[in-house]
Amino acid sequence: MDGTQATSCTTIPRCKEPDRGPGKYAFLPWLLMGLGAFSNIIQGKTGNPWLAGLGLLAFNSFYISVVWSSFNPRRRDSRYPLIALGVLTAITFAIALGFGGNWFLFFPLLSLASGTVRALRGKKLAFWLISLSGTAGYLSGWRDGDPSGSFGIGYGTFLSGMVTATVLSLFDTIQELNATRQELARSAVEKERLRFSRDLHDLLGHTLSVVVVKAEAVRRLAPRDLDAALAQATDIEAVGRQALTEIREAVTGYREGSLATELDRARSALEAAGIDPVVRQAGPPLPPQTGALLGWVVREGVTNTVRHSGATRCEIDVHADEERVRLTVTDDGRGPVGASGPIGGTGLKGLTERLAAAGGTLHSGPDGRRGFRVTAELPVGTADMPETKESPR
C-alpha cells in the first residue's frame, strides 16, 4: 500500500498522504498503568520483590513485542503476534494471581494488546475479550474480596480491547478507501490518455491516407488535366485544415462526428482513390450520438478499403427504423491485409468494443462473394450512451 500511494501522489494532482491512524508508539504510554505495581515494589509492599520485578519486566517486554509485531508489515499476518500474546496472557495471570491488588490492572493492558492483533479481529476477538474480561473480573473479586473492584477490572478489560480493535479497524478501512480512491483517479487519467491516443491515431491515420491518395491523384492528373489536379490539391489543403480542427477538438475532448459529414468525406476519398462509391441511406433521422458512432464505422471501413483492399467499388448502406439502425460497408476487394477471424485490425476491434458498450454489434469479414464487409447495428435510442467522445481506436 505504501508504494502504491507514493506513486499516486506523484501522478495525481493535489494528492496528499492520508492519516494512517495510531502507530505502535501510541500504545507505549499505557504501560504507565503499571506504575502502581512498580511503586509497591519500590516501597516494599509486595512480597518477593525480585520475582515481582522480573514479572513486571517480562510483562512489559512481551507487551511491546505483541504491539510492535502487530504493526510490523512482515510479522502482523504471521503466527508470531498470537504466540507472543499467549505468553503475555500467561504472565498476566501469573502476576495478577500472585500479587493481587494493582497487579490486576495488567488485564486491561493485556486486552489492549489483544486489540492490536489482526488475527483476532471479528468474532474471535469478541469471544476472547468476553472470556478474558469475565475471568479477570471474577479472579479480581475472588483474590481481593472486592466485588465492586472486580466489576471495574472486568469492564475496563473488555472496553480497552474493543475500543482498540475498533479504532484500528476503522483506520484500516480508511486506508483501503484511500487506496481505492487513488486507483480510481489513476484509472481516470489512464482512460483519458487512452481516449486521446485513440483519437489521434484514428484522425491522423484517416487523414494521412486521404492525403496520400489525393497526392497520387494529383501526380496522375497533372500531366493531362491541370484543372483536375488543382482541384485535388485544393482538397488536400481542405483535408489538412479539417484535420487540424479535429485534432484540436480531440485534445479538448469535445469532438462530435456526423454521419452525413463522414459519408461525404468517404465519397470524396473513394473517388480520389479510383474506387466507385455507392451510398444509400434510408429511414428517419438518427440521434446525434448514434450518427457519430456510425460515422466512426464509415471512417474506419472506408480507410481500410482505400488502404488495403485494392477494390474498384465500395457500397455504403444505411437503413434505419424506429428501433435499430444497420450500416454496411462492402467492397469488391481482398479485405484488410492480415485480417483473420471475424475482426480484422485494431480499429475494427476498438469499434467492436465501443458499439458493444452502446448496445450494438459490429461484424467484419468476407461478404461471401469476393470482397470484404463491415456491418454495424445500433439501437436508435443511444443518445444517453456512455463515453460518446472516445475514439474507436
Side-chain angles (χ1 to χ4, degrees):
M1 184 182 297
D2 296 342
T4 301
Q5 292 171 344
T7 302
S8 301
C9 291
T10 61
T11 57
I12 305 302
R14 296 193 299 179
C15 172
K16 63 179 182 178
E17 190 72 15
D19 187 4
R20 296 184 177 279
K24 58 185 180 181
Y25 294 103
F27 294 89
L28 294 183
W30 292 100
L31 289 174
L32 295 176
M33 292 177 62
L35 283 179
F38 180 74
S39 177
N40 289 340
I41 296 175
I42 297 299
Q43 296 176 9
K45 297 181 180 179
T46 301
N48 299 315
W50 287 105
L51 184 60
L54 289 175
L56 182 61
L57 178 62
F59 180 90
N60 291 340
S61 300
F62 277 93
Y63 173 89
I64 294 174
S65 180
V66 171
V67 172
W68 285 28
S69 62
S70 297
F71 283 90
N72 188 328
R74 297 181 178 180
R75 287 191 169 186
R76 62 189 180 188
D77 295 322
S78 67
R79 299 180 60 86
Y80 182 85
L82 286 175
I83 295 174
L85 181 64
V87 176
L88 181 64
T89 301
I91 294 173
T92 304
F93 274 90
I95 58 179
L97 292 175
F99 302 104
N102 290 332
W103 294 82
F104 274 97
L105 292 176
F106 288 102
F107 274 104
L109 285 176
L110 171 62
S111 177
L112 190 148
S114 301
T116 66
V117 178
R118 291 174 177 267
L120 284 179
R121 300 279 173 86
K123 295 182 180 180
K124 294 180 180 179
L125 180 64
F127 178 78
W128 167 249
L129 291 181
I130 292 174
S131 302
L132 183 64
S133 60
T135 303
Y138 173 79
L139 292 178
S140 176
W142 172 75
R143 177 68 170 73
D144 297 331
D146 183 8
S148 60
S150 65
F151 175 79
I153 293 296
Y155 179 75
T157 299
F158 178 81
L159 190 64
S160 59
M162 187 58 66
V163 169
T164 299
T166 301
V167 170
L168 293 180
S169 297
L170 177 61
F171 276 100
D172 285 345
T173 302
I174 292 174
Q175 291 297 317
E176 293 176 0
L177 291 176
N178 282 325
T180 302
R181 183 193 64 183
Q182 296 298 333
E183 184 63 29
L184 290 175
R186 187 164 50 252
S187 176
V189 171
E190 293 298 328
K191 189 175 183 180
E192 179 61 17
R193 288 175 179 170
L194 180 60
R195 182 203 67 79
F196 181 61
S197 64
R198 284 176 173 177
D199 268 348
L200 288 182
H201 181 266
D202 186 76
L203 292 172
L204 292 178
H206 175 79
T207 301
L208 292 176
S209 296
V210 174
V211 168
V212 169
V213 169
K214 288 186 174 293
E216 291 175 349
V218 171
R219 178 175 53 80
R220 292 195 309 268
L221 294 172
R224 52 189 172 85
D225 191 344
L226 184 58
D227 290 338
L230 290 176
Q232 294 292 338
T234 302
D235 287 346
I236 292 176
E237 180 182 359
V239 169
R241 292 183 184 276
Q242 183 63 31
L244 289 175
T245 301
E246 290 178 345
I247 289 174
R248 293 190 188 101
E249 292 173 346
V251 170
T252 56
Y254 292 105
R255 184 173 190 276
E256 286 292 346
S258 167
L259 179 59
T261 301
E262 292 298 337
L263 289 175
D264 290 339
R265 292 177 182 172
R267 185 182 291 107
S268 176
L270 290 169
E271 289 176 347
I275 302 174
D276 184 23
V278 178
V279 179
R280 306 184 188 92
Q281 189 170 6
L286 300 175
Q289 274 84 0
T290 303
L293 263 183
L294 294 179
W296 284 114
V297 178
V298 171
R299 174 185 288 259
E300 181 64 30
V302 170
T303 299
N304 287 336
T305 298
V306 170
R307 295 174 62 184
H308 306 302
S309 71
T312 59
R313 179 183 175 90
C314 180
E315 298 180 5
I316 304 174
D317 292 288
V318 182
H319 179 76
D321 55 30
E322 295 181 355
E323 296 182 356
R324 295 186 71 83
V325 57
R326 177 187 177 94
L327 181 145
T328 60
V329 180
T330 308
D331 62 58
D332 59 357
R334 59 179 177 273
V337 176
S340 60
I343 300 298
T346 57
L348 293 177
K349 290 180 180 179
L351 279 172
T352 302
E353 296 171 359
R354 189 175 181 191
L355 265 66
T361 59
L362 181 73
H363 301 284
S364 63
D367 69 348
R369 296 174 294 177
R370 179 172 175 268
F372 192 80
R373 173 176 293 178
V374 177
T375 303
E377 290 192 20
L378 271 175
V380 172
T382 56
D384 297 327
M385 67 186 177
E387 301 178 11
T388 58
K389 297 180 179 63
E390 181 185 346
S391 83
R393 291 179 185 262

